[in-house]
């Protein structure tokens, strides 16, 4: 059964990565005749004959020409599903449901490519409150940060933002940031004395916002 769903009342579209890939291929004339995935989208009301439902057209337009890709991995009391943010001339699409091909994705679309930094900030959901970072500057192993972020009692969040500003370049870690519920953030960077360890460098939330906008502008969106 197709996980795709069209909820007109809520203005929400849900589809899996497999369905989206098949839909883009079909839209570009590369689809397989009689593809059961496309048939399932038809049953869900997202494809009617040769037409894509208006609520899904902008998503397909972005996925047909992706210029920028960001992958967000988060740990907040426990690991969160990987979220992917894709941007191109047709806007920005968020796939928040992880990387499994058949997992339903509650699709989010923004019409302006220039909103990429703001969309990313919303996905990361970083604190806006300044204060001391959750870790001191003492170098420690990456697993130490993970353990703290996966402990609900600590109230610590950890996010790894992986980024590619070109369609032919794989994503690479561009920003690793941690913060605590009461405010205060830090960037996790390789330790200068021992590359096997990581250090927490205090950062004001505005500095982190500046980093996000710099990435987006550098990609030309």
């Amino acid at each position: 059964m197709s996980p795709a769903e069209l909820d007109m009342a809520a203005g929400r579209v849900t589809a899996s990565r497999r369905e989206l890939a098949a839909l883009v291929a079909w839209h570009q004339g590369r689809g397989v005749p009689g593809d059961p995935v496309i048939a399932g989208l038809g049953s869900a009301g997202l494809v009617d004959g040769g037409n894509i439902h208006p609520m899904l057209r902008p998503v397909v337009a972005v996925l047909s020409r992706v210029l920028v890709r960001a992958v967000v991995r988060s740990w907040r009391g426990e690991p969160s599903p990987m979220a992917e943010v894709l941007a191109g001339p047709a806007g920005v699409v968020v796939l928040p449901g992880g990387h499994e091909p058949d997992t339903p994705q509650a699709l989010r679309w923004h019409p302006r490519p220039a909103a990429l930094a703001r969309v990313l900030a919303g996905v990361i959901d970083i604190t806006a409150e300044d204060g001391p970072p959750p870790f001191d500057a003492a170098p420690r192993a990456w697993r130490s940060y993970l353990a703290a972020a996966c402990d609900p009692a600590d109230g610590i969040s950890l996010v790894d933002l992986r980024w590619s500003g070109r369609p032919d370049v794989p994503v690479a870690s561009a920003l690793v940031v941690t913060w605590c519920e009461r405010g205060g953030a830090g960037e996790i960077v390789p330790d200068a004395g021992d590359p096997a360890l990581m250090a927490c460098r205090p950062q004001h939330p505005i500095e982190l916002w500046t980093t996000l906008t710099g990435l987006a502008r550098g990609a030309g969106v």
Side-chain angles (χ1 to χ4, degrees), residues 24-158:
V24 170
W26 178 74
H27 176 66
Q28 295 177 340
R30 299 181 289 105
V32 178
D35 187 345
V37 177
I38 298 299
L41 289 170
S43 299
L46 291 172
V47 175
D48 182 11
N51 298 314
I52 299 171
H53 193 280
M55 287 183 63
L56 197 53
R57 286 176 198 161
V59 173
V60 172
V62 175
L63 298 182
S64 296
R65 191 183 175 197
V66 174
L67 301 181
V68 178
R69 181 175 175 230
V71 175
V72 179
R73 299 187 65 194
S74 305
W75 298 265
R76 300 175 182 176
E78 61 182 5
S80 301
M82 178 199 78
E84 192 167 8
V85 181
L86 305 167
V92 183
V93 166
V94 180
L95 305 177
H99 64 275
E100 295 297 328
D102 293 315
T103 298
Q105 302 277 342
L107 305 173
R108 302 204 299 271
W109 169 73
H110 195 288
R112 296 176 56 246
L116 174 58
R118 180 157 56 86
V119 173
L120 270 175
V123 172
I124 295 173
D125 194 28
I126 194 170
T127 180
E129 301 294 330
D130 192 19
F135 301 97
D136 58 31
R140 64 192 75 204
W142 170 249
R143 62 179 178 273
S144 175
Y145 295 107
L146 278 180
C150 289
D151 185 347
D154 287 346
I156 292 174
S157 295
L158 179 66

